[in-house]
Amino acid sequence: DAGVIQSPRHEVTEMGQEVTLRCKPISGHNSLFWYRQTMMRGLELLIYFNNNVPIDDSGMPEDRFSAKMPNASFSTLKIQPSEPRDSAVYFCASSSRGADIQYFGAGTRLSVL
Amino acid sequence: TQLLEQSPQFLSIQEGENLTVYCNSSSVFSSLQWYRQEPGEGPVLLVTVVTGGEVKKLKRLTFQFGDARKDSSLHITAAQPGDTGLYLCAGEFNDMRFGAGTRLTVKP
């Protein structure tokens, strides 16, 4: 199994630009999670999906952030417009049983200049 | 404030030493997990504890869940440089919440 696949691994962009992060969960998993990790705040849950449906997006910082899961094998996290304070590592994780035993991707390191 | 408080935040020790890191909360968990994260990678699950007072061992790592299911500890015996990493605890409430982690460095 290839595990959770995230792309790109690194993204450098300028303030105001749109950023799209991508995630392919483990095949057969029905839950998908997006996290943001910074030194100051640690690992924060942004949003999670069950069976492609967003269940809890209370962690999404503001309207500039949006996430979609058009099918069971793909999800995107979009930031528009991006700001320097969005710089962080963004992780996607998937699970076969809701919030239990999550498998993480390698992350996308985002730098907004 | 973090729902889960981990201590210490940083720990640097010599190879062969023992160490304990802690995860505490004022809330009761239905389950608690420990992850290890290496630089440039995502967290990897080490163990899940469910029952109050439960002790689980994974080679040189011993995980304990508090009787009241509000706290947990991770003890490493004879630490090795390969143990270096960020150790995260995560508790299940309505969803999974992570602590800020303990960053462990084991020097050869």
Side-chain angles (χ1 to χ4, degrees):
Chain A
D1 196 328
V4 176
I5 299 174
Q6 291 187 245
S7 64
R9 287 297 310 273
H10 303 274
E11 177 79 34
V12 181
T13 190
E14 293 185 343
M15 182 175 62
Q17 296 298 307
E18 177 179 296
V19 175
T20 300
L21 311 180
R22 297 174 176 80
C23 175
K24 176 178 169 54
I26 292 173
S27 177
H29 283 188
N30 63 349
S31 297
L32 183 141
F33 307 81
W34 281 102
Y35 290 88
R36 177 173 66 179
Q37 186 176 41
T38 61
M39 286 293 291
M40 291 293 293
R41 300 175 67 88
L43 197 62
E44 301 174 281
L45 177 65
L46 300 177
I47 185 172
Y48 77 94
F49 297 82
N50 273 354
N51 297 316
N52 312 338
V53 177
I55 302 301
D56 183 359
D57 65 353
S58 59
M60 296 285 263
E62 46 197 272
D63 292 345
R64 298 184 298 105
F65 286 69
S66 62
K68 294 182 179 180
M69 192 164 186
N71 57 63
S73 60
F74 183 66
S75 177
T76 60
L77 177 67
K78 185 175 293 186
I79 308 173
Q80 166 63 21
S82 58
E83 297 182 1
R85 61 192 168 120
D86 301 330
S87 297
V89 181
Y90 290 81
F91 286 102
C92 174
S94 70
S95 169
S96 61
R97 288 184 292 169
D100 191 21
I101 309 179
Q102 299 179 25
Y103 297 84
F104 283 77
T108 295
R109 182 173 294 276
L110 173 65
S111 297
V112 182
L113 306 178
Chain B
T1 57
Q2 293 279 348
L3 193 59
L4 293 162
E5 296 289 340
Q6 290 191 244
S7 61
Q9 187 176 1
F10 297 95
L11 185 59
S12 181
I13 61 171
Q14 293 295 134
E15 182 177 2
E17 294 183 8
N18 301 332
L19 67 112
T20 303
V21 298
Y22 301 92
C23 175
N24 295 291
S25 176
S26 57
S27 300
V28 176
F29 310 128
S30 57
S31 68
L32 188 140
Q33 298 176 346
W34 284 94
Y35 290 78
R36 182 170 68 204
Q37 183 179 13
E38 297 186 11
E41 299 295 331
V44 176
L45 180 68
L46 296 173
V47 76
T48 300
V49 287
V50 178
T51 306
E54 183 177 3
V55 176
K56 282 191 174 180
K57 292 193 175 184
L58 186 65
K59 297 183 180 179
R60 293 177 293 99
L61 279 59
T62 301
F63 304 85
Q64 186 161 5
F65 202 12
D67 291 341
R69 306 205 324 269
K70 293 183 178 182
D71 55 86
S72 181
S73 63
L74 160 58
H75 181 81
I76 301 178
T77 303
Q80 299 176 1
D83 296 327
T84 293
L86 179 67
Y87 288 81
L88 297 161
C89 67
E92 184 172 355
F93 297 89
N94 295 323
D95 50 51
M96 193 66 71
R97 299 296 177 95
F98 283 80
T102 293
R103 194 167 296 277
L104 171 66
T105 302
V106 182
K107 301 175 183 177

